[in-house]
Amino acid sequence: MYYIDRLFDKTLEFALRSKGAIVVVGPKWCGKSTTCERHAKTIIDLMPLETRKDFVDLAKVSPSRFLNYGPKPVLIDEWQHVSFVWDQIKYEVDKASQFGQYILTGSVTDRNFSKESEVQSRHTGNGRIIRKVMRTLSLYETKESNGSVSLLDLKEDKFKSSFTDKGINEYAYYICRGGWPLAIMEQDKEVALQQAIDYYDVVTTDDIFSLRDIPLRKDIEKAKKLMRSYARNVSIAASDETLRDDCISNDETFDKDVFAKYLNALKNLYVIDELPAWNPNLRSKTAIRTKETRHFTDPSIGAAALGITPDGIFKDMTTFGLLFESLVIHDLRVYCDFINAHLYKYRDSKKREADAVIQFRDGSFALIEVKLGNEDDINEAGKNLIEIANDIQEEKTGKLAFLMIVTKNKVAYRMKNGVYVVPLCCLKP
């Protein structure tokens, strides 16, 4: 089977050389199992029902035999079905004193175990077990970004003007298609677009009601209303109450506690992936807004929830702009994961915003704006970034690495004020 090489392959390789066990989490269909299988010598697949019972029984009777089922690294796929072996994994890692023993994969958060008491009694695994998030594919991994502009090169003040042949029509398609491996490998565009639609259908009709630690009465219409509301507020720091009010129409109600459970279920399934706020030290007394910004784990989920097609997205340019920003944030997250950086959003009481802030490991930072608009919008965004940067106390927060505007345009260049303007399809880590 054709395999798309991923940045996460190198991340996993290093993790296996530096930790005893790795927990790989992320959304369904992002390719966790396929990628992890390439790095394992023994595979325990707990997805098929016909073999799951035997493996679970073995894990209960003799967790040591289960964990030593074959040569290391051992991959335990959908490991939440045997979450009770966590302490035994820690013991096996300690006993062998070797790195790269286990890879655990799942499409639910670490909190989703069969019993809350198991969570409370388990050892954290700190120092022995590391958790890594695997995301859907970025445009650099799909070869649709030529990678002519590197985030790390910009940090080192290395930049050359470059060009991409991708434009706004391609970005409309990328938003609706997403980074699902099955969609990327499919040549038929209609079939490729169907993958995100199918993912949305599975989440709203089944997955959201399947979590044992978040029991929900099956109400598909409520799930769809929440997903549509979330999609309408993507790239916005909308409150839970705003989302809930948006779900309510006519005389219908959406109980506050039930709504919270639905939202938590989406988080636990890695369907939504909110961007935290950045809180730097400012020279002024301007207040920093700390509300997280709403994003799906892949922008195509939002497009599917709203029933948007690559052609139809042009009918609402405001929504197009918000989904394009979400596409950029998605790819920046993949790149930041790879270079061990963190991504945030900046917003203050003066209504100044930076759509993304990269915090590098050495403490330096980059401010980034996303613009789907014209040159006037780009020039205004550049001025905004400079104003924010001038208000930040570098001696306390860290050194400014660079300012950048990510666009749908075709040329990467540096403005006279020093701000980089870079097409998304030129970016790489």
Side-chain angles (χ1 to χ4, degrees):
M1 183 179 177
Y2 173 67
Y3 179 77
I4 301 171
D5 290 326
R6 310 182 68 139
L7 295 170
F8 192 80
D9 281 299
K10 292 183 180 179
T11 299
L12 186 55
E13 285 173 6
F14 182 77
L16 287 167
R17 289 190 287 114
S18 58
K19 283 292 179 288
I22 301 94
V23 181
V24 179
V25 296
K28 290 176 64 172
W29 302 5
C30 75
K32 296 186 300 298
S33 299
T34 302
T35 293
C36 291
E37 285 173 3
R38 293 167 59 86
H39 298 266
K41 293 182 179 178
T42 301
I43 299 171
I44 299 177
D45 188 355
L46 298 178
M47 179 60 75
L49 291 175
E50 62 268 23
T51 56
R52 181 191 303 169
K53 184 179 183 303
D54 289 339
F55 278 127
V56 172
D57 288 345
L58 175 61
K60 288 179 178 178
V61 172
S62 180
S64 179
R65 284 184 178 273
F66 172 78
L67 293 174
N68 290 280
Y69 192 76
K72 309 290 177 57
V74 175
L75 167 62
I76 307 175
D77 198 8
E78 298 299 333
W79 85 280
Q80 64 270 14
H81 297 293
V82 290
S83 60
F84 50 84
V85 301
W86 178 270
D87 283 341
Q88 187 69 30
I89 292 172
K90 175 231 169 205
Y91 173 77
E92 296 290 339
V93 169
D94 283 350
K95 184 175 70 173
S97 296
Q98 293 178 348
F99 293 138
Q101 295 189 56
Y102 301 102
I103 307 171
L104 316 176
T105 69
S107 298
V108 293
T109 65
D110 305 278
R111 297 186 300 275
N112 188 39
F113 299 100
S114 56
K115 292 181 181 178
E116 185 65 27
S117 59
E118 292 173 357
V119 182
Q120 295 170 348
S121 65
R122 284 200 330 272
H123 187 282
T124 63
N126 188 28
R128 304 166 180 86
I129 304 172
I130 192 170
R131 177 181 176 274
K132 291 292 181 180
V133 178
M134 185 171 176
R135 307 180 191 278
T136 55
L137 289 154
S138 66
L139 293 174
Y140 176 64
E141 292 168 298
T142 63
K143 311 301 183 187
E144 284 147 335
S145 169
N146 58 34
S148 56
V149 178
S150 162
L151 294 176
L152 290 179
D153 283 349
L154 291 180
K155 181 176 178 295
E156 300 300 323
D157 200 23
K158 300 175 184 177
F159 175 77
K160 289 183 179 180
S161 296
S162 58
F163 174 84
T164 175
D165 61 353
K166 303 297 189 295
I168 193 167
N169 291 323
E170 284 82 9
Y171 289 120
Y173 174 67
Y174 301 150
I175 286 169
C176 296
R177 181 203 62 190
W180 312 100
L182 286 177
I184 306 303
M185 292 186 288
E186 180 55 58
Q187 298 300 311
D188 185 316
K189 285 192 173 182
E190 291 303 314
V191 176
L193 291 168
Q194 187 63 37
Q195 304 314 307
I197 297 170
D198 290 345
Y199 177 89
Y200 165 74
D201 287 341
V202 169
V203 168
T204 54
T205 61
D206 187 18
D207 287 356
I208 198 171
F209 307 108
S210 67
L211 302 180
R212 286 173 291 187
D213 62 335
I214 308 179
L216 286 168
R217 183 176 65 84
K218 193 163 188 176
D219 189 331
I220 296 172
E221 283 307 307
K222 267 191 170 59
K224 288 183 176 180
K225 283 183 179 181
L226 172 56
M227 293 283 278
R228 286 194 294 268
S229 173
Y230 201 96
R232 284 190 288 268
N233 288 279
V234 77
S235 301
I236 298 172
S239 67
D240 288 358
E241 199 60 33
T242 296
L243 294 179
R244 191 170 74 92
D245 288 344
D246 190 40
C247 291
I248 300 172
S249 60
N250 299 325
D251 295 327
E252 296 181 16
T253 60
F254 204 150
D255 180 79
K256 188 175 182 179
D257 292 337
V258 174
F259 175 85
K261 288 183 178 180
Y262 272 85
L263 208 56
N264 283 332
L266 293 179
K267 291 177 182 177
N268 283 15
L269 292 164
Y270 294 94
V271 176
I272 58 179
D273 193 7
E274 293 165 347
L275 188 63
W278 190 54
N279 191 9
N281 289 284
L282 300 181
R283 292 188 176 90
S284 66
K285 294 182 179 180
T286 306
I288 302 296
R289 303 307 188 200
T290 58
K291 181 67 181 174
E292 294 181 331
T293 306
R294 308 290 184 172
H295 288 282
F296 285 104
T297 193
D298 189 283
S300 64
I301 304 172
L306 294 173
I308 292 175
T309 65
D311 290 330
I313 198 171
F314 287 91
K315 296 177 182 178
D316 185 346
M317 293 305 294
T318 299
T319 298
F320 194 165
L322 293 172
L323 288 172
F324 178 69
E325 180 180 329
S326 198
L327 175 66
V328 174
I329 294 300
H330 168 272
D331 280 17
L332 288 176
R333 274 178 149 152
V334 175
Y335 305 155
C336 285
D337 287 347
F338 182 70
I339 61 178
N340 291 313
H342 296 286
L343 196 69
Y344 302 95
K345 169 103 177 190
Y346 174 85
R347 185 187 306 100
D348 62 33
S349 57
K350 291 184 179 180
K351 297 185 178 180
R352 299 180 303 185
E353 292 188 358
D355 296 322
V357 181
I358 299 176
Q359 187 91 56
F360 294 99
R361 290 191 71 182
D362 63 1
S364 63
F365 66 93
L367 299 178
I368 300 169
E369 274 275 73
V370 180
K371 287 299 172 186
L372 189 64
N374 55 31
E375 290 302 314
D376 289 340
D377 292 330
I378 291 172
N379 290 332
E380 190 63 32
K383 293 177 184 177
N384 176 62
L385 289 177
I386 291 172
E387 183 180 335
I388 294 172
N390 288 338
D391 199 20
I392 293 174
Q393 297 185 56
E394 290 189 19
E395 62 275 11
K396 292 184 178 181
T397 294
K399 182 181 177 181
L400 174 65
F402 60 86
L403 305 174
M404 179 174 65
I405 303 167
V406 181
T407 76
K408 54 62 165 117
N409 298 342
K410 296 190 175 184
V411 180
Y413 61 95
R414 185 172 181 170
M415 301 170 71
K416 290 182 180 180
N417 58 15
V419 178
Y420 297 104
V421 180
V422 183
L424 178 56
C425 277
C426 284
L427 277 179
K428 72 172 182 179

